Amino acid sequence: LKDSAWAVCCTGSDCRGAAMGVTSSVGEKRPSIDGEGSEATAKSWPDLIEEVAVGKGAVYAIRGDTTVIGTVQMDPKARAKMSWGRSRMGGLFAAACRRGAVPGPNQDSFFFVEMAGRDFVLGTIDGHGRHGHNYTELISWHMPLLLLRSPLFPHNVPEALGNAFANMSSILKDRLRPHSRHDSLSGATCVVVVRRGASLYAANLGD
């Protein structure tokens, strides 16, 4: 990738998100809308995850955060804002990324939801354009919530993934309206993988 380098591996003691700069530009504040895209709540991401996770069999969730800078992400208080629950996989999952040669904020993010029985949902997001980091912030916040809130998940993963991508697109259009030609060139690609039992599902938009 021209602007970033991503690595997801099966080593390390826990998950680590990349430092991605503070959201800015198009006038958007920190994500605060619900899964349907309407103005809703000032609840934290872990609180929103907790409301739906237990009923779906989730035990742990974590996301990258574009508002947390550098190694501060490793601080326990900062980490608490990006994760919920307790992982049973322990050192079997880790994530890291770094900005590439193109100047500007790192525009990558990720999310990981661990289900009971070692099933999981993993997403990686690669932003592009002047405001790409705003897109990755919203996607890492909302996509796992959209999946966990879906009445189709986890029983019908393909339909749940398709609906989540469609709803995520609507949220982005509502929250990040371009104000110029340069803004309209911003966006993000997203790849989501779901393991359920012996099946592995993958969905993506972009590269």
Side-chain angles (χ1 to χ4, degrees):
L1 302 178
K2 293 181 179 179
D3 60 344
S4 57
W6 249 106
V8 178
C9 56
C10 295
T11 58
S13 59
D14 49 19
C15 303
R16 179 181 180 184
M20 290 176 280
V22 179
T23 55
S24 60
S25 61
V26 251
E28 296 303 322
K29 297 180 180 179
R30 186 169 179 75
S32 60
I33 54 179
D34 65 18
E36 278 60 50
S38 61
E39 297 293 338
T41 177
K43 291 182 179 179
S44 69
W45 188 77
D47 288 340
L48 293 171
I49 287 289
E50 185 173 20
E51 290 178 356
V52 292
V54 177
K56 292 299 178 76
V59 297
Y60 178 72
I62 190 169
R63 62 182 287 268
D65 192 331
T66 62
T67 66
V68 179
I69 308 301
T71 56
V72 175
Q73 290 203 35
M74 302 310 293
D75 178 78
K77 292 182 179 180
R79 292 285 299 275
K81 298 178 181 179
M82 299 185 289
S83 63
W84 165 86
R86 185 178 181 85
S87 175
R88 299 176 183 177
M89 291 186 180
L92 298 179
F93 171 81
C97 70
R98 66 179 182 180
R99 182 180 64 80
V102 177
N106 191 336
Q107 299 180 327
D108 295 345
S109 194
F110 77 99
F111 60 87
F112 178 74
V113 180
E114 180 181 334
M115 313 294 289
R118 301 175 76 83
D119 290 346
F120 62 81
V121 180
L122 169 65
T124 61
I125 309 131
D126 177 21
H128 54 264
R130 181 182 297 178
H131 307 306
H133 51 292
N134 291 330
Y135 285 83
T136 58
E137 170 72 5
L138 281 167
I139 295 170
S140 69
W141 177 286
H142 286 289
M143 185 65 87
L145 285 168
L146 289 168
L147 279 172
L148 290 175
R149 286 172 172 171
S150 172
L152 298 170
F153 184 84
H155 307 295
N156 188 339
V157 175
E159 289 292 328
L161 283 169
N163 290 345
F165 271 88
N167 290 332
M168 189 69 248
S169 180
S170 297
I171 291 174
L172 292 172
K173 289 178 181 178
D174 179 64
R175 299 294 288 169
L176 297 175
R177 296 185 180 91
H179 300 303
S180 70
R181 178 177 176 275
H182 292 292
D183 291 348
S184 67
L185 298 177
S186 297
T189 63
C190 180
V191 180
V192 180
V193 175
V194 179
R195 173 185 170 180
R196 185 166 188 262
S199 299
L200 192 67
Y201 304 89
N204 73 289
L205 279 176
D207 57 8

